[in-house]
Amino acid sequence: MRALKTQVAIIGAGPAGLMLSHLLHLAGIRSVVLDRRSREQIETTIRAGVLEQNTVDLMVETGVGERLKCQGFNHHGFEFRFGGEGRRIDLYNLTGGRSVTVYPQHEVLKDLIAARLAAGGEIVFEAADAQILDIGQAPRVRFMAPDGALCELAADFIAGCDGSYGPSREAMPAGEREDYQRIYPFGWFGILAEAPPSSDELIYARHDRGFALISTRSPGVQRMYFQCDPAENPDDWSEDRIWAELQARVSGNGFRLKEGRIFQKGVVPMRSYVRQPMQSGRLFIAGDAAHTVPPTGAKGLNLAVADVFVLSRALERFYTAGTADGLEAYSATALRRIWRAQHFSWWMTSMLHRFADASEFDRRRQVAELDMVTSSPAAARTIAENYVGLPLH
Ligand code: PHB
């Protein structure tokens, strides 16, 4: 048995775990990050792509924003399309100069991994079978190192940043935890295509055939989604069929998508989930380990970053001032933002998707709601404030 020791054991090298390790390092606190995946897998898995202003500011302020500043695309607005026309939400003017940046999640992870390794940080990739042994007086995580050695990592605290399927959620005693969830009866069919952008800004479209989203990755690669059956088999969808479906949902008023070779396709499930409280003993959970949002509000990665921002400040206070008040308040502080994001993500989802049991009344009400949020400045501002993100401080 190899015995290791650190201050904070972090399970999961996703946005929450890596950002936490980075913020702790800047506060002089040591951590070890474990992940069962390889560095290559983490750096190449395609996930979401919209960063709130908060996330961008935090990356820039903490020295990991150089590539983001050069390669990210700053968006001052997005478009809602419905009834054959597009209506813009002017994020920038509605929020007093805030905006979002399209920069893929795996690029954020590359930047954080590079920064941690350059600073001598410890990330154990391909750490198998991570098991939380104690979340009380002697927090410990056991895992198998890539060389086959059985390791036991002792720490003052464990941060569970291991997503929906990691060991952290299960390590919380059953009697102390509450789970809230909603599973949507649809998924998103996502594609990556080699094509020029069809629009300067993201398009969220409502159509009687279902929702569609036009996003981007780079000048030559576009990311698009359309609402589908959650059990849809991507192999049943030829390129022609995909383009026909997307065009049917977003074209109109002279607008058409620019098509190109589709080189990746897959179905994303849609659900809302919250585990609370986000602490048990010396285990703190953050990011997808604690909550899931449907991607419609583009909040997943941003919520993970906001969680660990709060957690890092609380740990810093513990180590420098010797008080646990920040740690005790972590769950409540994080949950307030999380429930706001849950509401926003549910709202965007319900406003834009086709529900199989919707009546004609429901459909007309949905269109009226889109009309309201794109014509009332007060309603548009509500959308804009939530989309760019509530302030971190
Ligand atoms: C994406 O580009 O992958 C993306 C953009 C906006 C969303 C969700 C996903 O709301």
Side-chain angles (χ1 to χ4, degrees), residues 245-311:
E245 192 59 48
L246 281 165
Q247 295 286 13
R249 295 185 190 194
V250 304
S251 333
N253 231 4
F255 177 79
R256 265 188 84 72
L257 292 172
K258 297 192 173 112
E259 301 181 8
R261 188 178 76 85
I262 295 171
F263 63 93
Q264 205 206 70
K265 50 187 182 179
V267 174
V268 187
M270 301 275 287
R271 67 194 183 105
S272 303
Y273 169 85
V274 181
R275 153 65 60 86
Q276 59 185 71
M278 292 162 64
Q279 175 201 358
S280 181
R282 288 174 168 253
L283 169 66
F284 293 82
I285 58 173
D288 279 4
H291 43 74
T292 311
V293 284
T296 330
K299 289 281 164 261
L301 173 145
N302 298 294
L303 270 185
V305 168
D307 287 351
V308 300
F309 175 76
V310 175
L311 185 55

Side-chain angles (χ1 to χ4, degrees), residues 14 39 53 73 86 117 124 139 151 163 217 264 273 281 289 301-302 308-309 318 320 330 343 357-358 368 383:
R39 179 176 182 181
Q53 181 83 55
F73 295 93
L117 296 179
V124 184
C151 305
R217 282 294 175 269
Q264 205 206 70
Y273 169 85
L301 173 145
N302 298 294
V308 300
F309 175 76
F318 176 84
T320 55
Y330 166 67
H343 168 260
D357 59 355
I383 294 278

Side-chain angles (χ1 to χ4, degrees), residues 4-6 9-10 32 34 139-143 151-155:
L4 310 166
K5 195 162 169 40
T6 190
I10 301 175
V32 173
L34 310 176
R140 275 168 356 264
V141 184
R142 185 177 291 169
F143 64 95
C151 305
E152 207 168 286
L153 173 62

